[in-house]
Amino acid sequence: MKRRKFIQASTMAGLSFTTLGFHACTKKSPSTETGKPADNSTFALNEVSIDELQQKMQSGEYTSRSITEMYLNQIEAIDKHGPGLNSVIELNPDAIAIADSLDRERKQGKIRSAMHGIPVLIKDNIDTGDKMMTTAGALAMEGHRASKDAFIIKQLRNAGAVVLGKTNLSEWANFRSTRSTSGWSSRGGQTKNPYILDRNPCGSSSGSGVAVAANLSVVAIGTETNGSIACPSSINGIVGIKPTVGLLSRSGIIPISITQDTAGPMARNVKDAAILLSALTGVDEEDPITKESAGKIQSDYTRFLDINGLQGKRIGVEKSMMKGHEGVDRLLREAIDAMKLKGATVIEVDLLSSLNDIDASEFSVLQFEFKDGLNRYLSTANARVKTLKDVIAFNKENEARAMPYFKQEILESSEAKGGLESAEYQEALKKILTSTRSALTRVIKENELMAICAPTNGPSWCTDPVNGDFFTGYGAYGSAAIAGYPHITIPMGMVFELPIGLSFLGLPYTEPELLRIAYAYEQASMKRVAPTFRKSAS
């Protein structure tokens, strides 16, 4: 497949949305239903950071309970009503009780971590062993409640966080149809972009990206196979970290790819993302690849944040992405100038020209691994469907509700694949891993780079259930996703009132250095802009 077509089929993992009326982008004036852009600035927690919340809890001005209540009220006002962003698919009925328990601990002098008392939203393909469902946005999974927390959720609770609710996502992490619409699921419906409501939020971690951008939570957790943290972070003007595969456990996460899947933090600033990342790591016996992270995990990623972190660093900019959309090109030039002013050396590099022929092989690998992984997950789940074949049959039997806009070609083509022992799978896997890992290592080592950078995405497109997604080029994250290497996206600026992200990608377990340079760029540029929920573009 061509890259753009392949992205539609596989790189936007995970969205969902309740059934709402669809409409194409219009030429109406930029407004909400009230005729003026919505003003979110009066919300007490607007653009607040984790540090600020901790200070307010320490002083007694706020409690975890009061913070949790404020976010719950804001979700009701903004997500369910008001602009109707539809980013949260389910709220945790125990959130207040959890917050109360953490407040009691604080009064007793027990502070578990920097996440103590902090509410977090979780993507709805991650198991929570509580009263909430885990469905990947699929009606076929409705009613499924996991018997235990995913490993990363266990770590999160141990760190003292409040699990606030689940976020909407692209159904099956957008691994269902070649003509899917990011941010839509049969259980949840369509998530809206908080900047311009008829534009797409990208995915598959659509709800997590939108909720953080719209100040419905200070941080959230997303997942990525290829672009599912990066794209919605970029499109929604926030920071997203796709860690090295192996840094975070995948056990208890509805899978696509054992090779590429990982969870990761989504936040409005680099420090908050680093704090959340610190809470999620750990070696998990149920996910053997995490053993590779032993001795490489950092207990506190915030200690690498340095305002002078670009000084003396060499950064490569992917030259094929230096000329595309004129607005994005301008932002990239400004970003390069900002990095140079902070002491970095920026050079042009050519990474992607050697990776043009791997899309079909990656898609083949994902199909094999999705079938194998989903069958394993469902075999022990509390869901009514026990195999991928059951999911396909359910969707056909409930076509009007489960497949009103696009079908399930990818589910069906995955079901037709054999096992992971097949020569087709083994050859495709070897090709994509060898190609991406050798190319990234070669470019970084030969040029003595700390990281490679490029625009994460072009501007968001109109949400279109008839034709599906229309990606506007770029996609700097793909090679890192396939290789299993780390990637960070950070706000780079706005084009026609739509956010654009800047990507930094590096070698395995270089999260500390990527955070160092991302933080330095963030502090030098400060390009994060809060959304105002415009109805349509100017």
Side-chain angles (χ1 to χ4, degrees), residues 354-465:
S354 62
L355 301 175
N356 287 330
D357 64 342
I358 64 172
D359 290 345
S361 295
E362 184 197 3
F363 187 48
S364 179
V365 167
L366 297 185
Q367 290 174 297
F368 276 100
E369 293 186 348
F370 178 68
K371 177 184 178 180
D372 179 78
L374 186 63
N375 283 340
R376 290 176 185 272
Y377 178 91
L378 292 176
S379 68
T380 60
N382 299 321
R384 57 184 151 190
V385 286
K386 293 299 180 183
T387 63
L388 174 56
K389 187 175 181 179
D390 290 347
V391 173
I392 294 169
F394 175 92
N395 288 341
K396 288 180 178 179
E397 292 167 5
N398 299 273
E399 186 168 2
R401 292 192 305 136
M403 300 189 294
Y405 304 113
F406 50 86
K407 304 310 174 185
Q408 56 178 353
E409 315 91 75
I410 295 177
L411 299 187
E412 292 168 348
S413 62
S414 298
E415 174 60 27
K417 294 294 186 183
L420 299 188
E421 71 284 350
S422 73
E424 179 187 356
Y425 168 72
Q426 294 292 336
E427 290 170 7
L429 179 63
K430 181 179 179 181
K431 178 180 180 179
I432 66 170
L433 291 183
T434 300
S435 297
T436 55
R437 291 176 179 177
S438 62
L440 277 162
T441 301
R442 173 183 55 80
V443 171
I444 290 175
K445 294 289 188 181
E446 287 182 0
N447 293 284
E448 299 179 326
L449 303 177
M450 186 56 64
I452 298 172
C453 77
T456 309
N457 286 95
S460 178
W461 55 95
C462 299
T463 295
D464 183 356

Side-chain angles (χ1 to χ4, degrees), residues 123-437:
K123 187 176 178 180
D124 183 41
N125 61 347
I126 304 174
D127 285 349
T128 54
D130 51 24
K131 297 172 184 174
M132 292 188 292
M133 292 183 278
T134 303
T135 70
L139 285 177
M141 294 288 286
E142 197 167 37
H144 170 241
R145 291 178 174 82
S147 58
K148 64 178 182 178
D149 284 337
F151 181 85
I152 61 169
I153 302 303
K154 178 182 176 182
Q155 298 291 86
L156 188 67
R157 293 190 201 270
N158 288 341
V162 177
V163 176
L164 188 63
K166 294 287 189 78
T167 55
N168 206 1
L169 69 160
S170 308
E171 185 172 326
W172 295 116
N174 225 2
F175 206 71
R176 199 189 96 175
S177 171
T178 56
R179 195 170 47 76
S180 62
T181 300
S182 287
W184 186 90
S185 71
S186 57
R187 179 186 168 212
Q190 183 65 52
T191 302
K192 297 180 183 179
N193 187 309
Y195 289 85
I196 300 179
L197 299 177
D198 59 8
R199 294 275 165 167
N200 198 267
C202 202
S204 65
S205 304
S206 311
S208 294
V210 169
V212 170
N215 287 280
L216 304 181
S217 178
V218 64
V219 290
I221 299 175
T223 67
E224 175 164 325
T225 302
N226 189 331
S228 290
I229 290 172
C231 187
S233 294
S234 172
I235 293 292
N236 292 288
I238 63 171
V239 175
I241 301 177
K242 197 287 292 186
T244 304
V245 173
L247 188 63
L248 303 188
S249 168
R250 286 89 53 84
S251 66
I253 301 177
I254 298 175
I256 290 181
S257 169
I258 195 171
T259 303
Q260 294 177 209
D261 286 352
T262 183
M266 302 171 77
R268 288 186 295 273
N269 61 71
V270 173
K271 185 171 185 180
D272 284 356
I275 290 171
L276 181 54
L277 180 66
S278 303
L280 301 177
T281 59
V283 175
D284 176 17
E285 293 298 323
E286 294 186 27
D287 187 359
I289 198 171
T290 60
K291 294 179 182 178
E292 296 178 8
S293 69
K296 302 166 187 172
I297 295 172
Q298 304 295 326
S299 59
D300 180 10
Y301 284 91
T302 66
R303 68 188 182 91
F304 300 101
L305 306 184
D306 180 2
I307 196 170
N308 296 311
L310 282 162
Q311 183 68 43
K313 302 299 190 298
R314 289 174 59 84
I315 310 294
V317 59
E318 171 55 42
K319 67 179 184 179
S320 68
M321 294 188 182
M322 295 185 73
K323 189 173 183 180
H325 188 289
E326 63 278 4
V328 179
D329 297 342
R330 173 181 55 81
L331 294 179
L332 180 58
R333 289 194 299 270
E334 292 174 359
I336 292 171
D337 289 343
M339 288 188 280
K340 288 180 176 179
L341 284 173
K342 294 299 291 184
T345 299
V346 182
I347 64 171
E348 293 183 24
V349 297
D350 180 11
L351 169 67
L352 298 185
S353 65
S354 62
L355 301 175
N356 287 330
D357 64 342
I358 64 172
D359 290 345
S361 295
E362 184 197 3
F363 187 48
S364 179
V365 167
L366 297 185
Q367 290 174 297
F368 276 100
E369 293 186 348
F370 178 68
K371 177 184 178 180
D372 179 78
L374 186 63
N375 283 340
R376 290 176 185 272
Y377 178 91
L378 292 176
S379 68
T380 60
N382 299 321
R384 57 184 151 190
V385 286
K386 293 299 180 183
T387 63
L388 174 56
K389 187 175 181 179
D390 290 347
V391 173
I392 294 169
F394 175 92
N395 288 341
K396 288 180 178 179
E397 292 167 5
N398 299 273
E399 186 168 2
R401 292 192 305 136
M403 300 189 294
Y405 304 113
F406 50 86
K407 304 310 174 185
Q408 56 178 353
E409 315 91 75
I410 295 177
L411 299 187
E412 292 168 348
S413 62
S414 298
E415 174 60 27
K417 294 294 186 183
L420 299 188
E421 71 284 350
S422 73
E424 179 187 356
Y425 168 72
Q426 294 292 336
E427 290 170 7
L429 179 63
K430 181 179 179 181
K431 178 180 180 179
I432 66 170
L433 291 183
T434 300
S435 297
T436 55
R437 291 176 179 177

Side-chain angles (χ1 to χ4, degrees), residues 457-503:
N457 286 95
S460 178
W461 55 95
C462 299
T463 295
D464 183 356
V466 177
N467 298 300
D469 288 331
F470 181 80
F471 291 96
T472 52
Y474 304 100
Y477 43 76
S479 56
I482 298 169
Y485 291 0
H487 169 273
I488 296 177
T489 185
I490 179 173
M492 184 170 65
M494 307 287 284
V495 171
F496 293 111
E497 303 168 339
L498 293 166
I500 305 293
L502 179 66
S503 290

